[in-house]
């Protein structure tokens, strides 16, 4: 057991798209970053729950409103796809991109199989993290980022959070996604499944087989429709169509039950679609290793983003990210999803204050656990916005360190935007030039 303690400029817990984007943004400002991941490998939901679709990141006129690290992760979605083609990715390519980008940052340290298990605080500051797993030790830093999706670090620090929808606290349904290969597309009404029209047609073709199974009581899936997307190869499909209710990531028993139920529903749905002639020889390639959890803790922050903010395309003076994706609530009751698009110009701002948790001066939120309502969270939880949130959080944290600040509230959003803009990220509002030190403090000390 390693009893040493390690010190960094910044520690980021969670290596999904939010944590990785934050780590890259900060390391590129020469910060000494420790990125922690409890799983054996980096990637989080976008890799291990296989979601496949690159959700909308363009405004009403097609202009990208995220263009920073997200563009490095999904380059084809910025150059290749038009409105006819379904923009999707292969999770193996995403994982390879994460690993390549992380490995190319010399000031970034990655520890996988390493869980933050305890957080020591004093006077509204985090002073130390206790880790379990490949390294059982303690680590310290000037600033910490919660990129655990479910706000695990913030909860361990004793901060306030909200869970589920107003009224009954129920969360969006969870989904076990699965990949199907060996489809004989020539037997489909529209064979080129890379096209939206073909995917809609395919879903209509498959639906009667599923509904027959449902009518016969052979599945517990409450959904009345089928959702699937093509892989970029145009030959295999990802089904995002199971619906497991009452899974709460803060209650481990519900995760175990949910995973079993998700696998059962996936197998039931596969049996149903196999009745279609194009699927007679299809193969259930795999069920995603991790049950897809859409919602967890939302940490109470300095500003709570609301459904009205999203649906009124609201602008904020302290914007640091933007989101163009609809409100998309997979019903906690198992009914139809609520899908409402963002009106013209088609996107809203995410303010820096939503990344700042109340009650702590050296912590930022860097994943889908930012401060917002159940409804708003259903929109900004997609990977494009979470990447932009992470990039903003990593940049703000670096400024906190470089400027020798004591409270994350002292970081000025025009400074954050200045750096984001230099990096190619989409920002709006005033930008303020910042004089950067010639070399970071750790490099000075090493001399
Ligand atoms: C079924 C489903 C379908 C979806 N479909 C789409 C889609 O089509 N397109 C889209 O853009 N988005 C989609 N989403 C949403 C999107 O994938 C996620 O919201 C997003 O990837 C979350 O990123 P994150 O970085 O916040 O969290 P995650 O990717 O979940 O990463 C959090 C990481 O933190 C780690 N962690 C947690 N606690 C600790 C701890 N104590 N110590 C160390 N590490 C810890 C976890 O292991 C995990 O790796 C979907 C989500 C689901 C569930």
């Amino acid at each position: 057991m390693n009893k040493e303690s390690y010190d960094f400029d910044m520690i980021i817990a969670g290596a999904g798209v939010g944590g990785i984007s934050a780590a890259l943004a900060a390391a590129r400002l020469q910060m000494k970053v420790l990125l922690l991941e409890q799983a054996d490998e980096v990637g989080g939901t976008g890799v291990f729950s296989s979601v496949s679709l690159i959700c909308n990141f363009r405004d009403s006129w097609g202009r990208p409103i995220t263009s920073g690290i997200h563009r490095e992760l999904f380059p084809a979605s910025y150059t290749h796809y038009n409105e006819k083609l379904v923009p999707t990715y292969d999770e193996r390519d995403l994982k390879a991109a994460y690993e390549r980008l992380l490995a190319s940052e010399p000031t970034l340290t990655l520890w996988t199989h390493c869980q933050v298990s305890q957080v020591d605080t004093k006077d509204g500051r985090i002073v130390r993290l206790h880790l379990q797993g490949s390294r059982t030790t303690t680590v310290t830093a000037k600033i910490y980022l919660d990129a655990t999706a479910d706000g695990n670090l913030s909860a361990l620090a004793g901060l306030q959070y909200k869970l589920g929808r107003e009224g009954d606290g129920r969360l969006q349904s969870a989904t076990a996604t699965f990949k199907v290969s060996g489809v004989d597309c020539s037997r489909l009404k529209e064979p080129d499944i890379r096209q939206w029209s073909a995917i809609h047609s395919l879903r209509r073709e498959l639906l009667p087989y599923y509904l027959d199974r449902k009518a016969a009581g052979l599945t517990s899936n409450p959904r009345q429709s089928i959702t699937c997307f093509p892989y970029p190869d145009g030959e295999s499909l990802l089904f995002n169509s199971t619906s497991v209710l009452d899974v709460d990531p803060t209650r481990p028993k519900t995760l175990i039950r949910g995973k079993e139920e998700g696998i059962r529903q996936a197998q039931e749905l596969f049996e149903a679609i196999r009745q279609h002639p194009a699927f007679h020889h299809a193969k259930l390639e795999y069920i995603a290793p991790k049950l897809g959890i859409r919602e967890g803790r939302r940490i109470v922050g300095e500003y709570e983003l609301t459904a009205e903010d999203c649906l009124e395309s609201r602008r904020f003076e302290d914007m640091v990210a933007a989101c163009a994706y609809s409100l998309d609530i997979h019903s906690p009751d198992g009914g139809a999803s609520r899908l409402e698009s963002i009106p013209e110009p088609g996107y809203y701002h995410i303010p820096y204050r939503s990344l700042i948790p109340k009650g702590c001066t050296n912590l930022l939120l860097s994943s889908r656990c930012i401060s917002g309502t159940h409804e708003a969270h259903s929109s900004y939880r997609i990977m494009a916005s979470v990447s932009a949130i992470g990039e903003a959080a990593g940049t703000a944290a670096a400024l906190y360190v470089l400027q020798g600040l004591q409270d994350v509230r002292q970081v000025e959003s025009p400074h954050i935007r200045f750096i984001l803009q230099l990096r190619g990220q989409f920002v709006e509002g005033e930008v303020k030039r910042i004089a950067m030190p010639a070399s970071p403090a750790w490099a000075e000390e090493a001399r």
Side-chain angles (χ1 to χ4, degrees):
M1 188 187 295
N2 192 341
K3 296 249 178 178
E4 272 181 276
S5 180
Y6 301 84
D7 188 45
F8 294 86
D9 284 328
M10 129 182 14
I11 298 175
I12 302 168
V17 70
I20 290 172
S21 299
L24 292 173
R28 290 170 184 182
L29 290 167
Q30 300 181 58
M31 292 293 100
K32 263 170 73 179
V33 179
L34 173 62
L35 178 62
L36 298 168
E37 171 53 53
Q38 66 185 6
D40 291 341
E41 293 169 289
V42 301
T45 301
V47 169
F48 296 105
S49 304
S50 306
V51 307
S52 139
L53 184 69
I54 302 168
C55 285
N56 185 34
F57 56 84
R58 294 176 188 274
D59 70 7
S60 307
W61 298 278
R63 175 182 61 152
I65 55 87
T66 59
S67 52
I69 289 167
H70 183 258
R71 190 172 49 180
E72 297 178 59
L73 300 173
F74 303 101
S77 66
Y78 287 78
T79 54
H80 170 66
Y81 289 100
N82 55 35
E83 66 281 359
K84 286 193 179 156
L85 289 173
V86 190
T88 57
Y89 70 95
D90 186 316
E91 57 275 3
R92 290 167 301 187
D93 295 338
L94 178 60
K95 184 158 169 285
Y98 283 151
E99 288 170 347
R100 178 175 47 78
L101 291 170
L102 291 172
S104 60
E105 294 303 332
T107 62
L108 197 157
T109 304
L110 169 67
W111 290 352
T112 54
H113 192 67
C114 206
Q115 185 186 48
V116 178
S117 56
Q118 191 186 320
V119 177
D120 295 343
T121 60
K122 193 169 179 233
D123 303 329
R125 293 181 72 74
I126 295 178
V127 289
R128 184 178 308 106
L129 305 183
H130 296 256
L131 309 182
Q132 263 178 11
S134 60
R135 291 166 196 256
T136 300
T137 185
T138 56
V139 282
T140 55
K142 298 180 183 73
I143 184 165
Y144 301 82
L145 272 68
D146 186 344
T148 63
D150 296 325
N152 296 334
L153 192 156
S154 307
L156 287 168
L159 301 180
Q160 260 183 293
Y161 62 84
K162 295 185 180 175
L163 199 58
R165 69 181 169 193
E166 204 68 36
D168 62 9
R170 290 183 81 184
L171 297 130
Q172 287 200 62
S173 61
T175 292
T177 56
F178 61 92
K179 180 177 181 180
V180 173
S181 62
V183 183
D184 181 356
C185 293
S186 68
R187 307 199 71 162
L188 296 172
K189 284 186 186 143
E190 289 193 47
D192 184 1
I193 57 170
R194 292 170 309 156
Q195 311 258 353
W196 274 116
S197 65
I199 281 293
H200 291 310
S201 163
L202 166 65
R203 291 176 186 176
R204 282 194 297 274
E205 283 192 60
L206 293 178
L207 189 59
Y209 297 96
Y210 167 63
L211 291 180
D212 277 357
R213 208 172 167 87
K214 227 174 131 51
L218 293 173
T219 180
S220 55
N221 188 340
R223 288 190 57 163
Q224 295 293 339
S225 58
I226 289 185
T227 305
C228 58
F229 301 106
Y231 272 84
D233 63 8
E235 288 173 1
S236 37
L237 289 157
L238 184 89
F239 283 80
N240 175 351
S241 214
T242 65
S243 175
V244 188
L245 307 183
D246 298 316
V247 177
D248 174 350
T250 68
R251 290 171 33 227
K253 271 191 188 158
T254 69
L255 286 170
I256 296 166
R257 176 197 51 79
K259 172 121 199 204
E260 288 165 2
E261 169 72 20
I263 291 172
R264 199 162 44 242
Q265 285 187 17
Q267 286 163 340
E268 290 161 358
L269 179 54
F270 181 64
E271 282 311 310
I273 61 175
R274 263 198 12 191
Q275 308 310 311
H276 186 293
F279 288 76
H280 282 343
H281 301 292
K283 190 170 154 224
L284 177 53
E285 194 83 33
Y286 53 75
I287 300 173
K290 193 162 171 263
L291 179 68
I293 305 292
R294 293 192 170 81
E295 191 176 359
R297 294 185 193 89
R298 305 180 322 268
I299 307 304
V300 175
E302 293 297 340
Y303 182 83
E304 185 181 56
L305 207 61
T306 65
E308 292 70 41
D309 293 333
C310 307
L311 295 174
E312 290 169 16
S313 314
R314 198 153 287 166
R315 301 295 183 254
F316 291 98
E317 179 267 322
D318 62 335
M319 82 80 77
V320 287
C323 176
Y325 189 61
S326 318
L327 251 65
D328 179 10
I329 306 178
H330 291 243
S331 173
D333 312 308
S337 294
R338 175 180 163 193
L339 197 66
E340 276 181 81
S341 53
I342 311 301
E344 250 180 52
Y347 65 97
Y348 59 90
H349 286 172
I350 297 174
Y352 178 50
R353 283 164 297 155
S354 294
L355 279 52
I356 303 178
K358 278 194 172 156
C360 193
T361 53
N362 65 343
L363 173 66
L364 284 170
L365 306 171
S366 180
S367 58
R368 62 165 161 76
C369 64
I370 65 165
S371 182
T373 62
H374 167 74
E375 290 80 12
H377 169 280
S378 76
S379 163
Y380 59 68
R381 68 188 170 89
I382 61 140
M383 296 180 72
S385 338
V386 174
S387 173
I389 288 167
E391 192 171 346
T395 304
L399 284 171
Y400 171 97
V401 174
L402 288 167
Q403 295 180 303
L405 303 177
Q406 288 305 307
D407 189 332
V408 287
R409 288 155 192 77
Q410 295 167 329
V411 182
E412 293 181 40
S413 60
H415 284 158
I416 304 172
R417 289 195 294 265
F418 174 69
I419 293 177
L420 290 174
Q421 191 176 51
L422 284 180
R423 292 278 159 81
Q425 179 58 293
F426 171 85
V427 295
E428 284 180 323
E430 185 200 358
V431 293
K432 240 199 252 171
R433 188 177 288 274
I434 176 173
M436 302 290 274
S439 50
W442 60 263
E444 292 298 335
E445 281 160 22
R447 277 197 190 148

